[in-house]
Amino acid sequence: MHTPRVAIVHEWLEHFAGSERVVEQLLLLYPQAELFAVMDFLPKEERKFLNGKKVNTSFVQKLPFSRKFFRHYLGLMPLAVEQWDFTGFDIIISSHHAVAKGVITGPDQLHVCYVHSPMRYAWDMQTTYLRQSGLQSGLKSLYLRWLLHRLRNVDVRTASGVDVFIANSNYIARRIRKVWRRHATTIYPPVDVENFALSTNPRKDYIVVSRMVPYKRVDLIVSAFCRIPDRNLIVVGAGTEYDKIAALAASAPNIKLAGRLPQEEMVRAIQGARAFVFAAEEDFGIAMVEAQACGTPVIAYGRGGALDIVNTSKDKPTGVLFDEQTPEAIIEAIHEFERQESLITTHSCCENALKFSATAFRTHIKAIVEKSYDQLFSDNATLEI
Protein backbone atom coordinates (compact mmCIF):
# COMPACT_ATOMS: atom_id res chain seq x y z
CA MET A 1 0.00 0.00 0.00
CA HIS A 2 1.33 3.45 -0.94
CA THR A 3 2.28 5.61 2.03
CA PRO A 4 1.33 9.22 1.26
CA ARG A 5 4.25 11.64 1.11
CA VAL A 6 3.52 14.70 3.27
CA ALA A 7 4.76 18.30 3.17
CA ILE A 8 4.13 20.77 5.99
CA VAL A 9 4.17 24.47 5.10
CA HIS A 10 4.62 27.14 7.76
CA GLU A 11 4.77 30.91 7.35
CA TRP A 12 8.04 31.70 9.10
CA LEU A 13 10.06 30.42 12.03
CA GLU A 14 11.10 33.18 14.40
CA HIS A 15 10.10 32.04 17.90
CA PHE A 16 8.44 28.95 19.35
CA ALA A 17 4.92 30.22 20.00
CA GLY A 18 1.29 29.24 19.33
CA SER A 19 1.51 28.51 15.59
CA GLU A 20 4.79 26.63 16.08
CA ARG A 21 3.02 24.35 18.57
CA VAL A 22 0.74 23.35 15.70
CA VAL A 23 3.78 22.53 13.55
CA GLU A 24 5.24 20.54 16.46
CA GLN A 25 2.13 18.35 16.65
CA LEU A 26 1.97 17.94 12.86
CA LEU A 27 5.57 16.70 12.89
CA LEU A 28 4.67 14.21 15.62
CA LEU A 29 1.82 12.97 13.42
CA TYR A 30 3.94 12.89 10.26
CA PRO A 31 7.58 12.48 11.34
CA GLN A 32 8.73 11.76 7.75
CA ALA A 33 7.16 14.95 6.39
CA GLU A 34 9.28 17.65 4.79
CA LEU A 35 9.01 21.11 6.33
CA PHE A 36 8.83 24.38 4.37
CA ALA A 37 8.93 27.95 5.73
CA VAL A 38 9.37 31.31 4.03
CA MET A 39 12.31 31.90 6.37
CA ASP A 40 13.90 30.25 9.38
CA PHE A 41 15.51 32.40 12.05
CA LEU A 42 14.50 30.22 14.99
CA PRO A 43 17.07 30.42 17.84
CA LYS A 44 19.04 27.27 18.60
CA GLU A 45 17.51 26.94 22.07
CA GLU A 46 13.98 26.86 20.59
CA ARG A 47 14.58 24.29 17.82
CA LYS A 48 14.10 21.13 19.86
CA PHE A 49 10.58 20.50 18.50
CA LEU A 50 12.05 20.15 14.97
CA ASN A 51 14.09 17.08 16.01
CA GLY A 52 16.90 18.12 13.70
CA LYS A 53 14.62 18.31 10.66
CA LYS A 54 15.87 20.44 7.77
CA VAL A 55 13.72 23.46 6.94
CA ASN A 56 13.27 24.29 3.26
CA THR A 57 13.24 28.09 3.05
CA SER A 58 12.50 30.59 0.28
CA PHE A 59 14.53 33.31 -1.44
CA VAL A 60 13.30 35.79 1.19
CA GLN A 61 15.69 34.11 3.65
CA LYS A 62 18.65 35.54 1.70
CA LEU A 63 17.39 39.06 1.13
CA PRO A 64 19.31 41.94 2.82
CA PHE A 65 18.52 42.48 6.51
CA SER A 66 15.84 39.77 6.37
CA ARG A 67 16.70 38.44 9.83
CA LYS A 68 15.74 41.70 11.50
CA PHE A 69 13.23 43.16 9.05
CA PHE A 70 11.67 40.13 7.35
CA ARG A 71 8.13 41.46 7.85
CA HIS A 72 9.06 44.33 5.52
CA TYR A 73 9.18 41.71 2.76
CA LEU A 74 5.56 40.66 3.27
CA GLY A 75 4.68 41.86 -0.23
CA LEU A 76 7.15 39.36 -1.73
CA MET A 77 6.05 36.38 0.35
CA PRO A 78 3.09 35.31 -1.86
CA LEU A 79 5.57 35.03 -4.74
CA ALA A 80 8.05 33.18 -2.53
CA VAL A 81 5.66 30.37 -1.52
CA GLU A 82 4.68 29.84 -5.16
CA GLN A 83 8.27 28.90 -6.06
CA TRP A 84 8.41 25.67 -4.07
CA ASP A 85 8.11 22.45 -6.07
CA PHE A 86 5.72 19.97 -4.45
CA THR A 87 5.98 17.38 -7.21
CA GLY A 88 5.87 13.91 -5.64
CA PHE A 89 3.97 14.94 -2.52
CA ASP A 90 0.51 13.50 -1.89
CA ILE A 91 -0.61 15.66 1.04
CA ILE A 92 0.30 19.28 1.74
CA ILE A 93 -0.69 20.71 5.13
CA SER A 94 -0.29 24.47 5.46
CA SER A 95 -0.22 26.34 8.78
CA HIS A 96 -1.60 29.70 7.72
CA HIS A 97 -1.99 33.24 9.02
CA ALA A 98 -0.52 35.20 6.11
CA VAL A 99 0.66 33.48 2.92
CA ALA A 100 1.21 29.74 3.55
CA LYS A 101 -2.00 28.62 1.85
CA GLY A 102 -0.76 30.16 -1.43
CA VAL A 103 1.42 27.16 -2.34
CA ILE A 104 0.69 25.65 -5.76
CA THR A 105 -0.63 22.08 -5.79
CA GLY A 106 -2.04 19.76 -8.43
CA PRO A 107 -5.38 17.95 -8.90
CA ASP A 108 -4.05 14.70 -7.41
CA GLN A 109 -2.65 16.37 -4.30
CA LEU A 110 -4.62 17.08 -1.14
CA HIS A 111 -4.10 20.54 0.35
CA VAL A 112 -5.34 20.89 3.93
CA CYS A 113 -5.01 24.35 5.44
CA TYR A 114 -5.01 24.92 9.20
CA VAL A 115 -5.95 28.58 9.66
CA HIS A 116 -4.83 30.56 12.70
CA SER A 117 -6.56 33.56 11.13
CA PRO A 118 -7.04 35.24 7.79
CA MET A 119 -4.84 38.36 7.70
CA ARG A 120 -6.66 40.53 10.23
CA TYR A 121 -4.58 43.60 9.38
CA ALA A 122 -5.58 43.28 5.71
CA TRP A 123 -9.28 42.68 6.30
CA ASP A 124 -11.64 43.88 9.04
CA MET A 125 -8.88 45.25 11.30
CA GLN A 126 -7.06 47.34 8.69
CA THR A 127 -8.31 50.63 10.16
CA THR A 128 -7.32 49.59 13.69
CA TYR A 129 -3.87 48.46 12.50
CA LEU A 130 -3.19 51.75 10.70
CA ARG A 131 -4.43 53.81 13.65
CA GLN A 132 -2.37 51.92 16.25
CA SER A 133 0.70 52.19 13.99
CA GLY A 134 0.21 55.93 13.55
CA LEU A 135 -0.18 55.46 9.79
CA GLN A 136 -3.56 57.01 9.06
CA SER A 137 -2.10 59.50 6.57
CA GLY A 138 1.04 60.25 4.60
CA LEU A 139 3.05 58.50 1.89
CA LYS A 140 3.83 55.47 4.06
CA SER A 141 0.14 55.10 4.85
CA LEU A 142 -0.68 55.27 1.14
CA TYR A 143 1.89 52.57 0.36
CA LEU A 144 0.58 50.30 3.12
CA ARG A 145 -3.01 50.73 1.96
CA TRP A 146 -1.95 49.76 -1.57
CA LEU A 147 0.01 46.76 -0.24
CA LEU A 148 -2.90 45.55 1.90
CA HIS A 149 -5.24 45.92 -1.08
CA ARG A 150 -2.88 43.74 -3.13
CA LEU A 151 -2.62 41.18 -0.32
CA ARG A 152 -6.42 40.96 -0.08
CA ASN A 153 -6.62 40.12 -3.78
CA VAL A 154 -3.95 37.44 -3.40
CA ASP A 155 -5.60 36.13 -0.25
CA VAL A 156 -8.95 35.54 -2.00
CA ARG A 157 -7.35 34.04 -5.10
CA THR A 158 -5.22 31.53 -3.18
CA ALA A 159 -8.19 30.31 -1.13
CA SER A 160 -9.42 28.46 -4.23
CA GLY A 161 -6.33 26.24 -4.16
CA VAL A 162 -7.19 24.74 -0.78
CA ASP A 163 -9.21 21.52 -0.62
CA VAL A 164 -10.01 21.49 3.10
CA PHE A 165 -9.99 24.39 5.55
CA ILE A 166 -9.59 23.86 9.29
CA ALA A 167 -10.13 26.79 11.67
CA ASN A 168 -8.64 27.08 15.14
CA SER A 169 -11.94 28.37 16.57
CA ASN A 170 -15.54 28.91 15.53
CA TYR A 171 -14.76 32.63 15.38
CA ILE A 172 -12.06 32.01 12.75
CA ALA A 173 -14.42 29.67 10.87
CA ARG A 174 -16.84 32.60 10.59
CA ARG A 175 -14.06 34.88 9.36
CA ILE A 176 -13.10 32.29 6.73
CA ARG A 177 -16.70 32.14 5.56
CA LYS A 178 -16.82 35.94 5.42
CA VAL A 179 -13.60 36.67 3.53
CA TRP A 180 -13.09 33.48 1.46
CA ARG A 181 -16.68 32.21 1.22
CA ARG A 182 -15.52 28.73 2.25
CA HIS A 183 -16.60 26.23 4.88
CA ALA A 184 -14.12 25.37 7.63
CA THR A 185 -14.14 22.65 10.26
CA THR A 186 -13.06 23.80 13.73
CA ILE A 187 -10.23 21.93 15.42
CA TYR A 188 -8.87 23.69 18.48
CA PRO A 189 -5.09 24.28 18.59
CA PRO A 190 -2.93 22.14 20.89
CA VAL A 191 -2.46 23.53 24.39
CA ASP A 192 0.12 22.13 26.81
CA VAL A 193 -2.50 21.48 29.48
CA GLU A 194 -0.29 18.86 31.19
CA ASN A 195 2.06 21.60 32.43
CA PHE A 196 -0.82 23.63 33.89
CA ALA A 197 -2.02 21.22 36.54
CA LEU A 198 -5.08 21.43 38.76
CA SER A 199 -4.30 22.75 42.23
CA THR A 200 -6.33 22.64 45.44
CA ASN A 201 -4.35 25.49 47.02
CA PRO A 202 -6.34 28.39 48.52
CA ARG A 203 -7.36 30.95 45.91
CA LYS A 204 -7.31 34.62 46.77
CA ASP A 205 -6.40 37.24 44.17
CA TYR A 206 -7.50 37.91 40.61
CA ILE A 207 -4.85 37.60 37.90
CA VAL A 208 -4.11 38.67 34.35
CA VAL A 209 -1.25 37.09 32.38
CA SER A 210 -0.60 38.81 29.09
CA ARG A 211 1.83 40.56 26.79
CA MET A 212 1.40 44.27 27.39
CA VAL A 213 0.52 45.42 23.90
CA PRO A 214 -2.44 47.65 22.94
CA TYR A 215 -4.93 45.07 21.68
CA LYS A 216 -4.61 42.94 24.84
CA ARG A 217 -6.41 45.76 26.74
CA VAL A 218 -4.65 45.12 30.04
CA ASP A 219 -5.19 48.83 30.72
CA LEU A 220 -8.94 48.21 30.98
CA ILE A 221 -8.46 45.49 33.58
CA VAL A 222 -6.13 47.64 35.67
CA SER A 223 -8.51 50.61 35.41
CA ALA A 224 -11.36 48.39 36.60
CA PHE A 225 -9.46 47.19 39.68
CA CYS A 226 -8.44 50.77 40.51
CA ARG A 227 -12.17 51.32 41.13
CA ILE A 228 -12.65 48.23 43.32
CA PRO A 229 -9.80 48.55 45.87
CA ASP A 230 -11.12 45.72 48.02
CA ARG A 231 -10.17 43.18 45.31
CA ASN A 232 -6.52 42.39 44.60
CA LEU A 233 -5.11 41.98 41.10
CA ILE A 234 -1.78 40.45 40.04
CA VAL A 235 -0.56 41.54 36.61
CA VAL A 236 1.96 39.20 34.96
CA GLY A 237 3.72 40.15 31.75
CA ALA A 238 5.77 42.77 29.94
CA GLY A 239 5.68 44.69 26.69
CA THR A 240 5.42 48.09 25.05
CA GLU A 241 2.49 49.14 27.28
CA TYR A 242 4.25 48.32 30.57
CA ASP A 243 4.98 51.94 31.52
CA LYS A 244 1.40 52.96 30.75
CA ILE A 245 0.04 50.08 32.88
CA ALA A 246 2.47 50.91 35.71
CA ALA A 247 1.32 54.54 35.71
CA LEU A 248 -2.34 53.46 35.90
CA ALA A 249 -1.60 51.13 38.82
CA ALA A 250 0.71 53.52 40.70
CA SER A 251 -2.00 54.80 43.03
CA ALA A 252 -3.70 51.43 43.55
CA PRO A 253 -2.09 49.36 46.36
CA ASN A 254 -4.43 46.46 45.51
CA ILE A 255 -2.67 45.99 42.12
CA LYS A 256 0.69 44.23 41.94
CA LEU A 257 2.79 44.27 38.77
CA ALA A 258 4.85 41.08 38.77
CA GLY A 259 6.53 41.57 35.39
CA ARG A 260 7.54 38.59 33.30
CA LEU A 261 7.77 35.45 35.47
CA PRO A 262 9.56 32.14 34.87
CA GLN A 263 7.19 29.39 33.76
CA GLU A 264 6.94 27.62 37.11
CA GLU A 265 6.23 30.83 39.02
CA MET A 266 3.63 31.89 36.46
CA VAL A 267 1.82 28.55 36.77
CA ARG A 268 1.81 28.79 40.57
CA ALA A 269 0.38 32.29 40.35
CA ILE A 270 -2.46 31.11 38.09
CA GLN A 271 -3.10 28.09 40.35
CA GLY A 272 -3.53 30.41 43.33
CA ALA A 273 -5.85 32.86 41.59
CA ARG A 274 -9.52 33.31 42.34
CA ALA A 275 -10.16 34.03 38.65
CA PHE A 276 -8.23 34.83 35.46
CA VAL A 277 -9.28 38.11 33.79
CA PHE A 278 -8.96 38.53 30.02
CA ALA A 279 -10.06 41.61 28.04
CA ALA A 280 -8.73 41.02 24.51
CA GLU A 281 -10.58 39.86 21.42
CA GLU A 282 -8.45 36.89 20.39
CA ASP A 283 -8.65 34.47 17.48
CA PHE A 284 -8.36 31.72 20.09
CA GLY A 285 -6.69 32.58 23.41
CA ILE A 286 -4.32 29.90 24.72
CA ALA A 287 -3.82 31.71 28.05
CA MET A 288 -7.50 31.19 28.91
CA VAL A 289 -7.16 27.43 28.35
CA GLU A 290 -4.02 27.30 30.48
CA ALA A 291 -5.92 29.01 33.29
CA GLN A 292 -8.80 26.53 32.98
CA ALA A 293 -6.32 23.63 33.10
CA CYS A 294 -5.17 24.96 36.49
CA GLY A 295 -8.79 24.86 37.64
CA THR A 296 -9.01 28.67 37.55
CA PRO A 297 -12.28 30.29 36.38
CA VAL A 298 -12.03 32.81 33.54
CA ILE A 299 -13.68 36.24 33.28
CA ALA A 300 -13.31 37.25 29.62
CA TYR A 301 -14.50 39.57 26.87
CA GLY A 302 -17.21 37.60 25.08
CA ARG A 303 -15.86 37.80 21.55
CA GLY A 304 -13.52 35.64 19.51
CA GLY A 305 -12.07 32.43 20.93
CA ALA A 306 -13.40 33.08 24.42
CA LEU A 307 -16.80 31.88 23.22
CA ASP A 308 -15.26 28.47 22.49
CA ILE A 309 -13.24 28.28 25.69
CA VAL A 310 -15.39 29.61 28.54
CA ASN A 311 -18.48 27.58 29.39
CA THR A 312 -21.22 29.89 30.67
CA SER A 313 -24.06 27.36 30.61
CA LYS A 314 -25.77 26.18 33.78
CA ASP A 315 -24.17 22.76 33.29
CA LYS A 316 -20.63 22.91 34.70
CA PRO A 317 -19.92 26.61 34.12
CA THR A 318 -16.25 27.62 34.01
CA GLY A 319 -16.44 31.40 33.95
CA VAL A 320 -18.23 34.62 33.01
CA LEU A 321 -18.20 36.71 29.82
CA PHE A 322 -18.70 40.47 29.44
CA ASP A 323 -20.01 42.28 26.37
CA GLU A 324 -18.03 45.51 26.19
CA GLN A 325 -14.34 46.39 26.44
CA THR A 326 -14.80 48.91 29.24
CA PRO A 327 -13.77 49.03 32.92
CA GLU A 328 -17.45 49.22 33.86
CA ALA A 329 -18.24 45.97 32.03
CA ILE A 330 -15.29 44.23 33.70
CA ILE A 331 -16.40 45.37 37.16
CA GLU A 332 -19.93 44.09 36.53
CA ALA A 333 -18.51 40.76 35.28
CA ILE A 334 -16.45 40.43 38.47
CA HIS A 335 -19.59 40.99 40.55
CA GLU A 336 -21.48 38.46 38.43
CA PHE A 337 -18.66 35.94 38.85
CA GLU A 338 -18.75 36.37 42.61
CA ARG A 339 -22.50 35.74 42.59
CA GLN A 340 -21.93 32.51 40.63
CA GLU A 341 -18.62 31.51 42.22
CA SER A 342 -20.05 28.61 44.23
CA LEU A 343 -21.32 26.99 40.98
CA ILE A 344 -17.94 27.13 39.22
CA THR A 345 -15.72 24.28 40.38
CA THR A 346 -12.02 23.77 39.80
CA HIS A 347 -12.73 20.29 38.43
CA SER A 348 -15.19 21.63 35.85
CA CYS A 349 -12.57 24.13 34.68
CA CYS A 350 -9.90 21.44 34.45
CA GLU A 351 -12.21 19.05 32.62
CA ASN A 352 -13.14 21.78 30.17
CA ALA A 353 -9.46 22.32 29.30
CA LEU A 354 -8.94 18.69 28.23
CA LYS A 355 -10.73 19.18 24.90
CA PHE A 356 -7.89 21.55 23.93
CA SER A 357 -5.09 19.06 24.61
CA ALA A 358 -2.37 18.12 22.11
CA THR A 359 -3.70 14.56 22.03
CA ALA A 360 -7.16 15.77 21.03
CA PHE A 361 -5.61 17.97 18.32
CA ARG A 362 -3.63 15.11 16.77
CA THR A 363 -6.63 12.77 16.86
CA HIS A 364 -8.91 15.22 15.04
CA ILE A 365 -6.29 16.30 12.49
CA LYS A 366 -5.42 12.70 11.63
CA ALA A 367 -9.09 11.83 11.14
CA ILE A 368 -9.88 14.73 8.82
CA VAL A 369 -6.71 14.30 6.73
CA GLU A 370 -7.29 10.57 6.26
CA LYS A 371 -10.97 11.05 5.40
CA SER A 372 -10.19 13.83 2.94
CA TYR A 373 -7.37 11.88 1.29
CA ASP A 374 -9.64 8.86 0.81
CA GLN A 375 -12.33 11.08 -0.70
CA LEU A 376 -9.85 12.68 -3.09
CA PHE A 377 -9.64 9.45 -5.05
CA SER A 378 -13.22 8.30 -4.59
CA ASP A 379 -15.72 8.40 -7.44
CA ASN A 380 -17.47 11.53 -6.24
CA ALA A 381 -14.35 13.20 -4.75
CA THR A 382 -16.37 15.52 -2.51
CA LEU A 383 -14.10 17.30 -0.07
CA GLU A 384 -16.63 19.39 1.83
CA ILE A 385 -16.25 18.23 5.45
Side-chain angles (χ1 to χ4, degrees):
M1 182 178 177
H2 172 66
T3 300
R5 189 178 173 206
V6 179
I8 297 170
V9 181
H10 189 55
E11 236 93 43
W12 51 73
L13 292 164
E14 182 187 20
H15 295 294
F16 183 71
S19 61
E20 285 71 34
R21 293 182 187 278
V22 168
V23 173
E24 177 184 37
Q25 297 304 316
L26 292 175
L27 290 173
L28 289 174
L29 263 181
Y30 306 104
Q32 303 306 316
E34 289 196 36
L35 179 60
F36 295 79
V38 174
M39 63 211 72
D40 174 17
F41 297 127
L42 199 67
K44 183 178 180 180
E45 63 272 16
E46 297 182 31
R47 304 185 70 86
K48 184 178 178 182
F49 76 101
L50 297 176
N51 291 318
K53 185 175 289 294
K54 174 189 173 183
V55 180
N56 299 285
T57 58
S58 73
F59 68 79
V60 178
Q61 176 91 13
K62 299 179 181 179
L63 293 177
F65 310 109
S66 60
R67 177 179 290 273
K68 188 173 182 180
F69 300 111
F70 69 86
R71 287 178 177 83
H72 290 208
Y73 292 119
L74 182 61
L76 290 174
M77 292 183 192
L79 174 64
V81 301
E82 292 176 348
Q83 306 313 305
W84 286 316
D85 181 7
F86 290 103
T87 302
F89 287 98
D90 302 291
I91 299 171
I92 293 87
I93 305 175
S94 57
S95 168
H96 176 89
H97 63 77
V99 298
K101 79 177 192 308
V103 296
I104 298 174
T105 59
D108 293 328
Q109 295 173 306
L110 174 69
H111 182 181
V112 177
C113 180
Y114 187 87
V115 184
H116 306 282
S117 178
M119 288 185 284
R120 293 181 295 178
Y121 45 86
W123 289 101
D124 52 305
M125 295 191 72
Q126 173 183 287
T127 302
T128 301
Y129 166 72
L130 292 172
R131 183 177 63 252
Q132 291 180 347
S133 302
L135 295 169
Q136 293 171 283
S137 61
L139 286 177
K140 192 172 181 181
S141 174
L142 183 63
Y143 166 73
L144 279 174
R145 290 173 190 274
W146 170 83
L147 176 61
L148 294 174
H149 168 74
R150 179 174 175 271
L151 288 172
R152 281 192 292 273
N153 291 339
V154 172
D155 201 33
V156 172
R157 176 183 60 78
T158 55
S160 63
V162 176
D163 298 303
V164 177
F165 277 111
I166 302 172
N168 71 351
S169 69
N170 290 320
Y171 173 62
I172 293 303
R174 292 194 298 274
R175 297 189 77 226
I176 289 170
R177 186 166 62 247
K178 178 70 174 181
V179 301
W180 299 333
R181 300 301 179 186
R182 293 289 302 276
H183 169 82
T185 298
T186 297
I187 297 179
Y188 300 123
V191 181
D192 187 15
V193 295
E194 291 81 6
N195 284 326
F196 290 81
L198 174 65
S199 172
T200 57
N201 293 336
R203 295 172 179 269
K204 181 181 178 183
D205 302 328
Y206 291 88
I207 192 169
V208 54
V209 179
S210 174
R211 286 184 295 119
M212 293 190 186
V213 293
Y215 89 93
K216 292 289 189 178
R217 304 315 313 265
V218 178
D219 59 322
L220 297 180
I221 300 172
V222 170
S223 295
F225 276 84
C226 285
R227 302 183 193 182
I228 45 174
D230 56 335
R231 276 85 164 179
N232 294 328
L233 175 69
I234 299 172
V235 183
V236 179
T240 57
E241 293 252 296
Y242 184 87
D243 290 342
K244 174 183 176 181
I245 302 303
L248 284 172
S251 60
N254 61 315
I255 300 175
K256 174 185 176 183
L257 269 63
R260 184 182 287 114
L261 295 179
Q263 177 77 4
E264 290 184 5
E265 289 184 35
M266 180 189 71
V267 172
R268 284 198 298 270
I270 297 173
Q271 289 172 331
R274 186 175 180 181
F276 184 97
V277 190
F278 195 85
E281 180 179 345
E282 286 279 20
D283 300 330
F284 181 66
I286 287 175
M288 289 183 281
V289 177
E290 292 170 344
Q292 298 268 268
C294 292
T296 304
V298 172
I299 301 169
Y301 178 47
R303 294 285 298 275
L307 294 172
D308 292 313
I309 295 168
V310 183
N311 180 18
T312 59
S313 69
K314 294 181 180 180
D315 182 30
K316 297 183 178 180
T318 66
V320 170
L321 300 176
F322 53 92
D323 295 331
E324 296 179 350
Q325 287 177 306
T326 64
E328 294 79 10
I330 294 171
I331 292 170
E332 176 53 37
I334 291 167
H335 292 154
E336 179 61 27
F337 162 72
E338 291 174 356
R339 287 191 288 268
Q340 297 186 28
E341 193 169 6
S342 62
L343 304 175
I344 303 173
T345 69
T346 57
H347 290 284
S348 292
C349 294
C350 185
E351 183 182 353
N352 182 50
L354 294 178
K355 65 185 179 185
F356 306 103
S357 70
T359 300
F361 174 83
R362 291 196 303 270
T363 300
H364 294 315
I365 289 288
K366 185 172 186 289
I368 198 170
V369 170
E370 289 182 354
K371 179 181 178 182
S372 302
Y373 187 69
D374 289 343
Q375 288 181 341
L376 180 66
F377 297 105
S378 67
D379 290 338
N380 54 16
T382 300
L383 286 174
E384 202 67 36
I385 303 300

